[in-house]
Amino acid sequence: MAQAENSYYVPHGSHWPIFGSVAVCTLLVGMANYLNGTSWGGNMALVGFGLLVIMLFGWFGTVVKESRAGLYNTQVDVSFRWGMFWFIFSEVMFFAAFFGALFYARNYSLPWLSGEGSGAMTNMFLYEGFEASWPSAANGPGNVGGEYKPMGAWGLPAINTALLLSSGVTLTWAHHALKAGHRAQLIIGLFLTVALGAIFMACQVLEYKEAYEHYGLTLGSGIYGTTFFMLTGFHGFHVTIGAIILAVILFRCMSGHFSSDNHFGFEAAAWYWHFVDVVWLGLFVFVYLV
Amino acid sequence: MFAIKRLNAWLGLAFISVVSGSAFAGQPMNMTPGVTDISAEVYDMHMIAFWLCVVIAVVVFGAMFYSIFAHRKSRGVTPATFHESTTIEAIWTIIPFVVLIALSIPATKTLIDMYDTSDYDLTVKITGYQWLWHYEYVEDGVDFHSKLQTSISQINNDEEKGENYLLEVDNELVIPVGKKVRFLITSNDVIHAWWVPDLAVKKDAVPGFINEAWARVNEPGIYRGQCAELCGRHHGFMPVVVRAVPEAEYRQWVAANAKPESATEYAVVSQ
Amino acid sequence: MSTVAAGDHHDHPESPYSIKRWLFTTNHKDIGTLYLWFSFIMFLIGGVMALVIRTELFQPGLQFVDPQFFNSMTTMHAIMMIFGVVMPAFTGLANWLIPMMIGAPDMALPRMNNWSFWILPFAFAMMLSTLFMDGGGPAGGWTLYPPLTLQTGDALPFVILSMHFMGLSSIMGAINVVATVLNMRAPGMTLMKMPLFVWTWLITAYLLIAVMPVLAGGITMLLTDKYFGTSFFNAAGGGDPVMFQHIFWFFGHPEVYILILPSFGVVSSIIPTFARKPLFGYASMVYATGAIAFLSFIVWAHHMFTVGMPLAGELFFMFATMLIAVPTGVKVFNWIATMWRGSMTFETPMLFALGFIVMFSIGGFSGLMLALAPVDFQYHDTYFVVAHFHYVLVPGSIFAIIAAVYYWLPKWCGNMYSEGLGKTHFWLSTIFVNLTFFPMHFVGLAGMPRRIPDYALQFSDYNMMATIGAFGFGLSQLLFLVLVIKAIRSGNKATSQVWEDAEGLEWTLPSPAPYHSFSTPPAIK
Ligand code: HEA
Ligand code: HEA
Ligand code: CUA
Ligand SMILES: [Cu+2]
């Protein structure tokens, strides 16, 4: 281990990847069977998910151990950084597909259905009299899902924006504390971040409940409901993941895993959280505001 | 223009049949020039693009084969060492660029024409179904279904295949020659595409939306096409047959087939 | 205990017969080998599917398969070939070569590297299993257009989720390449000194990272439209079936460059070696690759000229598409200028590279013709398109992969392959590939739509030729298999240099290359 500083660490063979493949495959086959209406698909998916969690613990556990044993030199650290960075970029592109769908629906398909641009004949022959308006009547000429009330920006969503933005601040505070070696501040900052994330999720659950119970707004409410729930839903899913990662990092901070100059795990989680944050801003503007 | 077209056709056929061996020259191997002005333009552009590619290919591969022949080790050449030249690289960036611009000008012109569905004389609304077409003459009040007529036993090889195997329908789409016919194309289930090569019209039939296309046929005749977008099990079995007839004959046909009640429905549309 | 790559104790691979070695390996060469064999097996499977298609099309009339199964073969054939053959083969080459070419001990993230590979057998097993399900396999074409694809039976969620799984594998593989190239180069190996194979792969990796998630998004929307009542692709709810096509081709067009850029890299390595002359225009090659990658993001709707886009859209996508011929032309011209006044010999890799240049260009020319929107109204969804893309994919990508195998095989296994067999393989492949795909231009122009199990009588002669060609081409590939196995087991020992004038760090290593590439970074001149 003495040479860790000058040589690149190439790990031993590992059983975690193939274990992960089995896990994810079980999960996916389970999900597919669930969608096909079998009675056991859901359970199989759960088993797969359980295996996946075991794999994540095992795999990251190994990484943590190796890292703590000092096997990773700065070059390995940079590899991890590039890896995380481009992973986040791939997530950005995943969201881009859904933002693109929102953009397309608002700027092309709904106007065409309403007879604008090249949609004149479409409207005249197929949907005479139909006029879409975003957000209040954007569930298409079939009025799919029935009447609904769109989600305004200034209630829970605005609160959620404030929550996420301040969680970004607390996280940065924690990061500074980590660098400056203030353990207590670090732990408080991280804890607040996770807590804000959790409150955010609670608010979102409330918002969904409100939508379903009082607004008549569901995933099936035409393209408005579709884009609304898919975008906020995938975002919420990412917030959940991010919060779990941060919680793990919090425990690692409490057991003193990070030093002021070597804490990639913390930073990766922070990048992820900021990414989730930025996506929310996009959502707030394009899903709720305009 | 016509002379060029004929020359092109001959040269093209000659070239292609040399390549493929004249044994097969009996079957069509090139795009049809079609029976509309647009289809002729499209054909010309196809041939221009084709010959352009042939010329470029001859020059480029010619240089390559010359080099393969002349600059081989077995002829004892010692390799040169040059490995860049900004001038030459600029030249072979700019020349293709210019060629492409030249090519895109007529293409743009034709495309604009194809998109101009104004000033039409009559409208046919075409709806795709799995696996047949429905035609509706908006102004003239005729409407009917049109589907494959080839017998199952021909398809299953139990019977000799007819001349128009797979390209024959029970009810043909009848249109008048010399008139601008506008097609409004849509679908009732999955995406189909309505295609008649001789008219150079191919447009997707998208459920829930209407696409527009048009044709003005110059010569009476029967023109055959097929569904051109995968639409399921019998995608290969939903042909399109258009019969273009002189205007007077068309009028007679309408008179014999019209159902006036369906004409009024869209009276607004025909201005 | 733990292995440290650099000049450490534990450096010996377990025996090649140990299953654990292959399942758990973190070694870039082992993983590269796995990828390449996997790819070959998928090639046989995808090829057999192509033969089912060709057999049914041998004569007009329905003879062998049900039309639905035929469509399913078309769909699966494409998915196998693209996701199971070409992409894994390139990733395999990247694994074997990139660390050796840039002077690194291994890939940057070796454990993840293992996972990228070991996802594939599971994902493809899932995909193939759909052929045995109620309603059969997916039969809506590899483009998965709704609403047709939503008519798929039980197979649909398996298809979609397995494609998510494959996407995960590609993204991780791509991230690994980026991290390796950016972070693992030996000191002195500046970006502009990297071999072109490394450059083209770096750019390919960016394309992958950018577009695979978009595909994932699109197919997720299919899934929710089918099972959760969303309206993305349903006009009644305010969506649009064509929206899927935009999303798909935003992925799909860059995808086709993912399938060709590494080939450009391979050819750019091979030509200078056998021309005994440095690559002409290295810098412009790099810029051209970048330009192609950039343009690939703004041309997607050339696959959709007939869907009824507004005129302005048609024109934009037509112009942008035509522009791609310019940087691609630069590459072709540079290769020829590299040969010009060189001192050429024609070993098998060179033959395949030369075949690549000619036949890829033919495919490129037909691509350019397709780009002319008004004319594409006649070409679209005919066999002319099928001819176009098989020319760029089979004597394009597949030839380049084969060329790469010939070129680097001695480095991998330490033995030379048999030149005689190799040349025979080349000539048979070249003759048959043209016999298969050239006539498709004719039937396409004459009006034969693609994706049909039966056709009108005037198309029968050329279809017969194509079918004969396909069987010939398939059988010729068995020769390749024999040759590779023979070279692995015996053959003349290769020197470390292998080829007289090959440039690049990989040739400084002994043949076969040691288990760990560069324990200490090599000196870069
Ligand atoms: C490796 C894969 C690959 C590559 C490299 C290409 C390259 C190109 N492709 Fe192709 N394409 C496919 C794979 C590929 N394609 C596939 C799979 C489909 C069908 C998908 C489906 O529907 O299932 C398709 C379909 C397709 C279409 C849609 C057709 C239709 O469905 O109607 C179009 C239209 O524009 C097109 C255009 C082009 C162009 C302009 C290039 C250019 O990049 C080519 C550039 C190269 C050259 C031009 C040759 C060399 C250049 C010179 C020698 C310089 C001088 C030349 C000139 C100035 C002309 N392709
Ligand atoms: C990299 C991609 C790739 C590759 C390599 C190939 C390779 C081949 N492809 Fe295909 N193909 C596509 C990508 C590819 N294809 C795509 C994207 C489509 C569009 C799908 C769609 O419409 O959705 C398509 C569609 C397609 C069609 C149109 C189907 C239709 O429209 O209905 C046809 C028809 O001939 C065809 C044929 C072939 C043939 C003969 C080969 C040959 O090169 C294959 C040769 C290989 C073998 C034959 C196997 C190896 C040998 C053996 C197993 C030994 C045994 C052999 C014998 C006994 C002979 N392909
Ligand atoms: Cu209708 Cu294909
Ligand atoms: Cu494309």
Side-chain angles (χ1 to χ4, degrees), chain A residues 3 8 10-11 66 75 79 142 223, chain C residues 3 8 26 108 111 183 236-237 240:
Chain A
Q3 70 276 61
Y8 196 85
V10 177
E66 287 168 358
Q75 200 184 5
S79 288
I223 195 69
Chain C
T3 310
D8 198 277
T26 48
R111 248 188 310 247
N183 189 38
D240 183 351

Side-chain angles (χ1 to χ4, degrees), chain B residues 52-53 56 60 96-97 99-100, chain C residues 82 142-143 249 253 256-257 259-260 264 302-303 305 321-322 324-326 328-330 332-333 360-368 370-372 376 379-381 385 388-389 392-393 397 450-451:
Chain B
L52 184 79
C53 290
I56 297 174
V60 174
F97 188 73
V99 168
L100 293 174
Chain C
I82 289 176
W142 82 284
T143 48
W249 289 115
H253 187 82
V256 308
Y257 291 101
L259 302 175
I260 204 70
F264 291 165
H302 63 216
H303 297 272
F305 282 141
T321 304
M322 292 173 78
I324 296 196
V326 175
T328 317
V330 167
V332 172
F333 301 143
F360 166 78
S361 297
I362 292 176
F365 291 140
S366 58
L368 188 85
L370 291 166
L372 295 166
D376 184 65
Y379 302 138
H380 177 66
D381 265 335
V385 178
H388 156 64
F389 65 71
V392 283
L393 284 167
S397 311
R450 59 194 279 208
R451 296 165 167 174

